[in-house]
Amino acid sequence: MELTTVWFILITVLWVGYFTLEGFDFGVGMLLPVLAEDDTERRVMINTIGPVWDGNEVWVLVAGGATFAAFPEWYATLFSGFYLPLLLILLALIVRNLGFEYRHKRPERRWQSRWDAAIIVGSFLPAVLWGVAFANIVGGVPIDADKEFTGSLFTLLNPYGLLGGLVTLLLFLTHGAMFVALKTDGDIRHRARALAVRLGVGAAVAAVVFLAWTQERTGTPASAVVFVLAALALVAGILSARAGREGWAFLGTFVTIGLAVTGLFLALFPDVMPSTTDAAFSLTTTNAAATAYTLTVMTWVAAIFTPIVLGYQAWTYWVFRKRISVHHIPTAELAASGT
Amino acid sequence: MDVLEIARWQFGIITVYHFLFVPITIGLSAIVASFETLWVFKKRPEYLRLTKFFGTLFLINFALGLVTGIVQEFQFGMNWSGYSRFVGDIFGAPLAIEGLLAFFLESTFLGLWIFGWDKLPRGLHAATMWLAHLGTVFSAYFILAANSWMQNPVGYEYSAENGRAELVDFWAVMVNKVQLVTFPHVMTAAYMTGGAFVLGVSAWLYLRRSTAEGDRPMYRIGIRAGALVTLVAGLGVALTGDLQGKVMTEVQPMKMAAAEGLYETAETCAPFSVFTLGTPDGKEEKFALTVPCLLSYLGTGSFDGEVQGINELREEYAEEYGQDPGEAYYHAGDYVPVVPVTYWSFRFMIGLGVLAAAGAALVLWATRKGRVPTSVWWARLAVVLPLAVVFANSWGWLFTELGRQPWVVYGLMTVGNAVSPGVSTTEAWISLLSLTLVYAVLAVIEIGLTLKYVRAGAPAFQEPPDPGNTPADDDAPLTFAY
């Protein structure tokens, strides 16, 4: 297999890792005002993702770095072209992360509710904007002969792009609700499960329309198969949630998101950023790629270290596998005196 | 301002801001891990209290270092797409490796450290902080390898066909001679920062009237440990800085000339300027304090070595790279960095670093044999020392980066060619202003939180659970929760 194809696959894997993992912690963040009825329940929710959200987020940093290394032209066109949405995502991630880290550091109600707002908004914006960005990557944007994006912010806010944003929003909300149902106990667990079913139905409708539209525009037989499997996984997840099987339900949305992202990349290949100005200006895995030498070096590094990373990340999930409920939450004073 | 200027301001502000937190993170993670290791082996309550106390301060600081680091990675693509296209084949690799090796390690094991007190056996828990520290070391190595390549491009070939620099020897990039002196210089400076932080905070708490008498021996441990780390690391900084000066003179003679404000080539026994007051173009000198022949030694390792001056170098560069704006990647216009900025940042870096190391030595001496002096001057020193090191770091980076101007990749690509051609001034302004504003607000919050937790002092000792020896109680409250 061509090294450029290998790296296209690896970047797909990184984005699958990012959206399946941070997808649920975005969902948990957005559902904070919906699912939690008091501060203790809010803390239950935040602590379900407490030990892992930071590790989840690194996937996007590695995806960005890997794109820079393996497809520098893609990196340059994408990030300079999608300037304002990306800036908004960065600002959102900044305040969101600090929300998790700083929220409990002072006891005042006002302090905590401000950081709650930071977590909610900071989870909501990336959940929508990543969808908008990816729909536009797959759908194509105006790119000139110099590989420069020639559109504006409004070019990105087309119906297909916005639908993409709605799909990631609903999928992440469902995914987050499934996670809360899986990781908590007591009232909140039941509320989360019921909400996950309702959100899941909405996500399924939006996702099916979006994926069918994608299939119609740029799909291949392979992407069609993957999209159908993604839809089936979502249905299976919803049915499992209804049956009270939270582990299977979460696995369902996990697989759904993973397959949907894979399908989008299949529909994209061999382009990495198609040009709507002229197909000849499209960025492809070949004309956007780094040299074979760089890709070879990077392949070795990835082959050695990716399994190690997956190993210790998986171990973290194992260490924190227990469900959390309101009686596990220490008092506020304890939180302030700890670390 | 045009996009280039705005993008440069953004890079400067965002990067210097980010680097206020990075050295504290690197240094403190090692010190916290050391305290915890001491607790595991010696079981003295002070060590656990110091671990938790400085651990909390570390986390407050790490959080900001982390979020500002995210912007670092993406702004190359956003504001500097010309640069990204030109060097992505080389520069992207260490950046990606940094993510894979360092960021995952840091974030995953810090999660385990924060929440794992009641889940991991004690030794393993201490190891998670060491692993997080290892992550910061990897992070420093790979990002500095990338930066060192910009200072001294090696292991590449220019491809006219693709219009970019292409990697031909990855190992050469990893062991770039600039990297081999920069990495230890930055690492020792980071340990110095962590040490000065622990020294300063401990001394301040020790001297505070309201501190409980029983807590003083614990803070004295902090003072001594912090001072020792600061002094030893400070010597390392001086040693590596000296080596770096020689490598810099070799690969970037203009930077050394600008650092010294040396306009005319000194063929032998170049004097080191401690400080000079005069006109920026070097035509008129009002006052100068110099050490004979020291610059020759610093730059070349020999007291009678030749050090080239700005005027001669400028001519050499004009001849080598041309002054014709037509050649896209090779046009530089004027090859001289802003001399006063380079000159003074170099001096501030060294001066503040020396001040801090001397302060640490003084503290070690004054606290020998169980003594701790209590005059108000020591409290002032406690505040000044950490700040001196932090700002020495900033000046060091400003010197390194501004001294390289107008190049973004030395001798290969100018900053003017690196900027994103498609970004509008409006977009660039929105980015600069929103990031600066958010960062300013966060600085206020961070300082407030740090002071609050410093004032609160080390938490009381509480025997932590020992999951290695006692079975876990599933219904007990978590030891720590957000």
Side-chain angles (χ1 to χ4, degrees), chain A residues 150-174:
Chain A
T150 54
S152 69
L153 176 63
F154 300 101
T155 318
L156 305 177
L157 303 179
N158 54 69
Y160 179 69
L162 291 171
L163 180 60
L166 181 69
V167 170
T168 48
L169 173 69
L170 290 170
L171 276 177
F172 293 166
L173 280 168
T174 313

Side-chain angles (χ1 to χ4, degrees), chain B residues 97-369:
Chain B
I97 298 172
E98 185 191 12
L100 191 60
L101 264 69
F103 297 161
F104 274 128
L105 211 57
E106 282 173 357
S107 57
T108 308
F109 285 96
L110 273 184
L112 281 157
W113 190 80
I114 298 171
F115 291 91
W117 287 99
D118 52 358
K119 302 223 162 32
L120 301 173
R122 288 179 184 179
L124 189 56
H125 189 268
T128 59
M129 184 52 96
W130 281 115
L131 284 164
H133 174 65
L134 184 67
T136 68
V137 177
F138 283 158
S139 178
Y141 194 88
F142 289 104
I143 199 62
L144 289 173
N147 182 272
S148 296
W149 187 82
M150 297 162 78
Q151 309 285 350
N152 179 39
V154 290
Y156 78 97
E157 257 170 27
Y158 176 73
S159 157
E161 185 195 347
N162 295 327
R164 67 182 182 187
E166 293 180 344
L167 186 63
V168 293
D169 186 351
F170 179 69
W171 188 243
V173 175
M174 287 295 113
V175 297
N176 187 345
K177 62 179 156 191
V178 171
Q179 163 71 353
L180 294 183
V181 289
T182 304
F183 173 67
H185 189 60
V186 173
M187 283 306 293
T188 44
Y191 290 127
M192 197 178 172
T193 317
F197 184 86
V198 171
L199 161 64
V201 169
S202 305
W204 188 81
L205 283 166
Y206 187 100
L207 296 167
R208 196 177 54 159
R209 210 172 303 160
S210 58
T211 296
E213 198 56 45
D215 283 353
R216 294 229 154 90
M218 174 182 66
Y219 292 125
R220 187 170 176 279
I221 295 174
I223 296 175
R224 298 275 299 172
L228 188 68
V229 172
T230 310
L231 183 62
V232 173
L235 295 175
V237 172
L239 192 74
T240 51
D242 177 52
L243 294 172
Q244 213 183 6
K246 291 175 177 56
V247 173
M248 182 177 75
T249 312
E250 186 191 331
V251 303
Q252 299 181 330
M254 182 64 97
K255 192 189 272 181
M256 189 46 132
E260 279 299 310
L262 183 73
Y263 281 85
E264 296 307 325
T265 297
E267 280 168 13
T268 179
C269 187
F272 176 82
S273 153
V274 179
F275 71 91
T276 303
L277 297 176
T279 52
D281 62 3
K283 292 210 170 89
E284 199 186 329
E285 190 172 280
K286 296 208 161 57
F287 176 81
L289 181 64
T290 59
V291 182
C293 303
L294 183 60
L295 178 59
S296 282
Y297 178 76
L298 289 179
T300 65
S302 147
F303 284 103
D304 52 11
E306 182 188 270
V307 181
Q308 284 181 293
I310 292 171
N311 295 335
E312 184 186 335
L313 285 165
R314 174 192 268 158
E315 276 170 35
E316 266 182 31
Y317 278 35
E319 203 168 304
E320 189 174 351
Y321 302 112
Q323 278 165 333
D324 172 16
E327 284 181 79
Y329 284 111
Y330 292 90
H331 169 62
D334 192 348
Y335 297 96
V336 186
V338 184
V339 176
V341 176
T342 321
Y343 180 90
W344 285 110
S345 55
F346 190 55
R347 265 145 204 79
F348 289 150
M349 168 184 77
I350 296 174
L352 290 170
V354 169
L355 176 80
L362 200 63
V363 168
L364 269 184
W365 179 76
T367 56
R368 71 196 185 284
K369 294 182 191 152

Side-chain angles (χ1 to χ4, degrees), chain A residues 14 43 46-47 49-70 72-84 86-87 90-91 93-95 97-98 100-108 111 115 130 146-149 151-153 283 287-295 297-298 301-303 305-306 309 312-313 315-316 319-324 327-330 334-339, chain B residues 10 51-53 55-56 59-64 66-79 81-85 87-97 99-117 119-120 124 128 162 164 166-171 420-423 427-428 430-432 434-435 438-439 442 445-446 448-449 452-453 459 462 472 474-482:
Chain A
L14 290 169
R43 291 181 65 196
I46 292 172
N47 281 289
I49 54 171
V52 295
W53 65 266
D54 196 358
N56 294 347
E57 191 166 287
V58 174
W59 286 86
V60 76
L61 295 177
V62 180
T67 310
F68 197 171
E73 301 283 356
W74 186 10
Y75 174 83
T77 308
L78 177 63
F79 291 132
S80 65
F82 291 18
Y83 195 90
L84 292 178
L86 195 70
L87 177 68
L90 294 179
L91 290 168
L93 292 179
I94 289 173
V95 297
N97 291 1
L98 290 177
F100 292 130
E101 299 278 7
Y102 286 176
R103 181 190 192 278
H104 64 285
K105 290 267 187 274
R106 293 185 78 105
E108 295 89 350
W111 169 271
W115 286 121
W130 282 126
D146 293 329
K147 298 177 177 163
E148 291 291 341
F149 173 76
S152 69
L153 176 63
L283 300 185
N287 73 13
T291 55
Y293 177 74
T294 296
L295 294 177
V297 172
M298 293 294 299
V301 174
F305 289 99
T306 313
V309 170
Y312 64 65
Q313 277 214 335
W315 180 62
T316 309
V319 169
F320 299 107
R321 65 193 177 278
K322 297 252 164 61
R323 286 181 186 269
I324 303 176
H327 68 266
H328 288 119
I329 299 296
L334 257 177
S337 71
T339 42
Chain B
Q10 176 174 321
T51 303
K52 293 218 164 184
F53 177 54
T56 306
L59 290 174
I60 292 171
N61 173 82
F62 176 80
L64 257 191
L66 177 112
V67 294
T68 52
I70 303 176
V71 180
Q72 286 298 96
E73 177 177 321
F74 289 102
Q75 75 170 339
F76 290 117
M78 292 168 74
N79 282 344
S81 70
Y83 173 77
S84 303
R85 290 183 206 283
V87 304
D89 198 56
I90 300 154
F91 188 86
L95 208 66
I97 298 172
L100 191 60
L101 264 69
F103 297 161
F104 274 128
L105 211 57
E106 282 173 357
S107 57
T108 308
F109 285 96
L110 273 184
L112 281 157
W113 190 80
I114 298 171
F115 291 91
W117 287 99
K119 302 223 162 32
L120 301 173
L124 189 56
T128 59
N162 295 327
R164 67 182 182 187
E166 293 180 344
L167 186 63
V168 293
D169 186 351
F170 179 69
W171 188 243
S420 298
V423 170
E427 286 173 322
I430 292 173
S431 171
L432 172 65
S434 58
L435 284 169
V438 168
Y439 279 24
L442 297 180
I445 294 171
E446 207 261 5
L449 265 186
K452 175 188 152 73
Y453 276 83
Q462 221 179 1
D474 284 350
D475 289 326
L478 298 164
T479 316
F480 174 79
Y482 274 152

Side-chain angles (χ1 to χ4, degrees), chain A residues 140-278:
Chain A
V141 286
I143 295 172
D144 67 14
D146 293 329
K147 298 177 177 163
E148 291 291 341
F149 173 76
T150 54
S152 69
L153 176 63
F154 300 101
T155 318
L156 305 177
L157 303 179
N158 54 69
Y160 179 69
L162 291 171
L163 180 60
L166 181 69
V167 170
T168 48
L169 173 69
L170 290 170
L171 276 177
F172 293 166
L173 280 168
T174 313
H175 200 33
M178 298 280 196
F179 188 74
V180 174
L182 176 64
K183 291 293 294 179
T184 59
D185 221 338
D187 287 350
I188 194 165
R189 173 181 176 183
H190 299 288
R191 264 180 272 137
R193 203 163 65 197
L195 185 64
V197 173
R198 275 184 287 148
L199 283 168
V201 174
V205 173
V208 166
V209 175
F210 176 73
L211 295 180
W213 194 352
T214 306
Q215 183 61 27
E216 190 263 326
R217 286 171 72 146
T218 57
T220 62
S223 69
V225 172
V226 174
F227 286 153
V228 170
L229 291 174
L232 290 176
L234 186 54
V235 173
I238 297 167
L239 292 176
S240 305
R242 278 193 53 162
R245 304 293 299 269
E246 286 133 353
W248 289 104
F250 178 70
L251 185 69
T253 47
F254 195 94
V255 171
T256 304
I257 293 171
L259 287 175
V261 175
T262 308
L264 286 183
F265 276 86
L266 280 171
L268 183 60
F269 187 82
D271 285 340
V272 292
M273 261 183 108
S275 170
T276 52
T277 312
D278 184 336

